[in-house]
mmCIF file with all atom_site columns, all heavy atoms in Angstrom:
data_model
loop_
_atom_site.group_PDB
_atom_site.id
_atom_site.type_symbol
_atom_site.label_atom_id
_atom_site.label_alt_id
_atom_site.label_comp_id
_atom_site.label_asym_id
_atom_site.label_entity_id
_atom_site.label_seq_id
_atom_site.pdbx_PDB_ins_code
_atom_site.Cartn_x
_atom_site.Cartn_y
_atom_site.Cartn_z
_atom_site.occupancy
_atom_site.B_iso_or_equiv
_atom_site.pdbx_formal_charge
_atom_site.auth_seq_id
_atom_site.auth_comp_id
_atom_site.auth_asym_id
_atom_site.auth_atom_id
_atom_site.pdbx_PDB_model_num
ATOM   1  N  N   . GLY A 1 58  ? -12.452 -13.091 -0.675 1.00 97.00 ? 503 GLY A N   1
ATOM   2  C  CA  . GLY A 1 58  ? -13.903 -12.487 -0.735 1.00 97.00 ? 503 GLY A CA  1
ATOM   3  C  C   . GLY A 1 58  ? -14.243 -11.689 0.539  1.00 97.00 ? 503 GLY A C   1
ATOM   4  O  O   . GLY A 1 58  ? -15.429 -11.176 0.532  1.00 97.00 ? 503 GLY A O   1
ATOM   5  N  N   . LYS A 1 61  ? -10.896 -7.505  1.534  1.00 98.00 ? 506 LYS A N   1
ATOM   6  C  CA  . LYS A 1 61  ? -9.524  -6.811  1.734  1.00 98.00 ? 506 LYS A CA  1
ATOM   7  C  C   . LYS A 1 61  ? -9.167  -5.858  0.606  1.00 98.00 ? 506 LYS A C   1
ATOM   8  O  O   . LYS A 1 61  ? -8.765  -4.779  0.913  1.00 98.00 ? 506 LYS A O   1
ATOM   9  C  CB  . LYS A 1 61  ? -8.443  -7.957  1.823  1.00 98.00 ? 506 LYS A CB  1
ATOM   10 C  CG  . LYS A 1 61  ? -8.624  -9.019  3.017  1.00 98.00 ? 506 LYS A CG  1
ATOM   11 C  CD  . LYS A 1 61  ? -7.604  -10.128 2.994  1.00 98.00 ? 506 LYS A CD  1
ATOM   12 C  CE  . LYS A 1 61  ? -7.433  -10.925 1.861  1.00 98.00 ? 506 LYS A CE  1
ATOM   13 N  NZ  . LYS A 1 61  ? -8.587  -11.646 1.442  1.00 98.00 ? 506 LYS A NZ  1
ATOM   14 N  N   . SER A 1 62  ? -9.265  -6.371  -0.579 1.00 97.00 ? 507 SER A N   1
ATOM   15 C  CA  . SER A 1 62  ? -8.805  -5.517  -1.713 1.00 97.00 ? 507 SER A CA  1
ATOM   16 C  C   . SER A 1 62  ? -9.717  -4.350  -1.888 1.00 97.00 ? 507 SER A C   1
ATOM   17 O  O   . SER A 1 62  ? -9.337  -3.268  -2.228 1.00 97.00 ? 507 SER A O   1
ATOM   18 C  CB  . SER A 1 62  ? -8.801  -6.293  -3.040 1.00 97.00 ? 507 SER A CB  1
ATOM   19 O  OG  . SER A 1 62  ? -7.791  -7.337  -2.972 1.00 97.00 ? 507 SER A OG  1
ATOM   20 N  N   . THR A 1 63  ? -11.098 -4.548  -1.607 1.00 98.00 ? 508 THR A N   1
ATOM   21 C  CA  . THR A 1 63  ? -11.963 -3.532  -1.721 1.00 98.00 ? 508 THR A CA  1
ATOM   22 C  C   . THR A 1 63  ? -11.662 -2.351  -0.762 1.00 98.00 ? 508 THR A C   1
ATOM   23 O  O   . THR A 1 63  ? -11.717 -1.192  -1.056 1.00 98.00 ? 508 THR A O   1
ATOM   24 C  CB  . THR A 1 63  ? -13.434 -4.074  -1.374 1.00 98.00 ? 508 THR A CB  1
ATOM   25 O  OG1 . THR A 1 63  ? -13.754 -5.122  -2.290 1.00 98.00 ? 508 THR A OG1 1
ATOM   26 C  CG2 . THR A 1 63  ? -14.509 -2.997  -1.472 1.00 98.00 ? 508 THR A CG2 1
ATOM   27 N  N   . ASP A 1 178 ? -1.154  -5.124  -2.087 1.00 96.00 ? 623 ASP A N   1
ATOM   28 C  CA  . ASP A 1 178 ? -2.086  -6.161  -2.161 1.00 96.00 ? 623 ASP A CA  1
ATOM   29 C  C   . ASP A 1 178 ? -1.401  -7.488  -2.538 1.00 96.00 ? 623 ASP A C   1
ATOM   30 O  O   . ASP A 1 178 ? -1.081  -7.636  -3.789 1.00 96.00 ? 623 ASP A O   1
ATOM   31 C  CB  . ASP A 1 178 ? -3.176  -5.786  -3.185 1.00 96.00 ? 623 ASP A CB  1
ATOM   32 C  CG  . ASP A 1 178 ? -4.481  -6.545  -3.051 1.00 96.00 ? 623 ASP A CG  1
ATOM   33 O  OD1 . ASP A 1 178 ? -4.372  -7.730  -2.405 1.00 96.00 ? 623 ASP A OD1 1
ATOM   34 O  OD2 . ASP A 1 178 ? -5.485  -6.211  -3.516 1.00 96.00 ? 623 ASP A OD2 1
ATOM   35 N  N   . GLU A 1 179 ? -1.237  -8.308  -1.648 1.00 93.00 ? 624 GLU A N   1
ATOM   36 C  CA  . GLU A 1 179 ? -0.519  -9.595  -1.779 1.00 93.00 ? 624 GLU A CA  1
ATOM   37 C  C   . GLU A 1 179 ? 0.790   -9.478  -2.565 1.00 93.00 ? 624 GLU A C   1
ATOM   38 O  O   . GLU A 1 179 ? 1.009   -10.119 -3.717 1.00 93.00 ? 624 GLU A O   1
ATOM   39 C  CB  . GLU A 1 179 ? -1.443  -10.556 -2.532 1.00 93.00 ? 624 GLU A CB  1
ATOM   40 C  CG  . GLU A 1 179 ? -2.687  -10.734 -1.814 1.00 93.00 ? 624 GLU A CG  1
ATOM   41 C  CD  . GLU A 1 179 ? -3.521  -11.930 -2.226 1.00 93.00 ? 624 GLU A CD  1
ATOM   42 O  OE1 . GLU A 1 179 ? -2.874  -12.961 -2.585 1.00 93.00 ? 624 GLU A OE1 1
ATOM   43 O  OE2 . GLU A 1 179 ? -4.716  -11.953 -2.212 1.00 93.00 ? 624 GLU A OE2 1
ATOM   44 N  N   . ILE A 1 210 ? -1.776  -6.585  2.565  1.00 97.00 ? 655 ILE A N   1
ATOM   45 C  CA  . ILE A 1 210 ? -2.725  -7.672  2.449  1.00 97.00 ? 655 ILE A CA  1
ATOM   46 C  C   . ILE A 1 210 ? -1.944  -8.975  2.131  1.00 97.00 ? 655 ILE A C   1
ATOM   47 O  O   . ILE A 1 210 ? -1.064  -9.028  1.360  1.00 97.00 ? 655 ILE A O   1
ATOM   48 C  CB  . ILE A 1 210 ? -3.742  -7.526  1.249  1.00 97.00 ? 655 ILE A CB  1
ATOM   49 C  CG1 . ILE A 1 210 ? -4.628  -6.360  1.586  1.00 97.00 ? 655 ILE A CG1 1
ATOM   50 C  CG2 . ILE A 1 210 ? -4.583  -8.838  1.073  1.00 97.00 ? 655 ILE A CG2 1
ATOM   51 C  CD1 . ILE A 1 210 ? -5.686  -6.153  0.451  1.00 97.00 ? 655 ILE A CD1 1
ATOM   52 N  N   . HIS A 1 212 ? -2.359  -13.716 2.269  1.00 91.00 ? 657 HIS A N   1
ATOM   53 C  CA  . HIS A 1 212 ? -3.049  -14.836 2.660  1.00 91.00 ? 657 HIS A CA  1
ATOM   54 C  C   . HIS A 1 212 ? -2.336  -15.601 3.690  1.00 91.00 ? 657 HIS A C   1
ATOM   55 O  O   . HIS A 1 212 ? -2.720  -16.713 4.093  1.00 91.00 ? 657 HIS A O   1
ATOM   56 C  CB  . HIS A 1 212 ? -3.396  -15.752 1.442  1.00 91.00 ? 657 HIS A CB  1
ATOM   57 C  CG  . HIS A 1 212 ? -4.668  -15.344 0.812  1.00 91.00 ? 657 HIS A CG  1
ATOM   58 N  ND1 . HIS A 1 212 ? -4.608  -14.821 -0.622 1.00 91.00 ? 657 HIS A ND1 1
ATOM   59 C  CD2 . HIS A 1 212 ? -5.941  -15.314 1.155  1.00 91.00 ? 657 HIS A CD2 1
ATOM   60 C  CE1 . HIS A 1 212 ? -5.821  -14.622 -0.970 1.00 91.00 ? 657 HIS A CE1 1
ATOM   61 N  NE2 . HIS A 1 212 ? -6.624  -14.863 0.063  1.00 91.00 ? 657 HIS A NE2 1
HETATM 62 MG MG1 . MG  B 2 .   ? -7.951  -9.422  -2.911 1.00 96.99 ? 119 MG  B MG1 1
#
Side-chain angles (χ1 to χ4, degrees):
K506 303 181 298 295
S507 297
T508 302
D623 197 342
E624 303 197 36
I655 292 178
H657 274 117

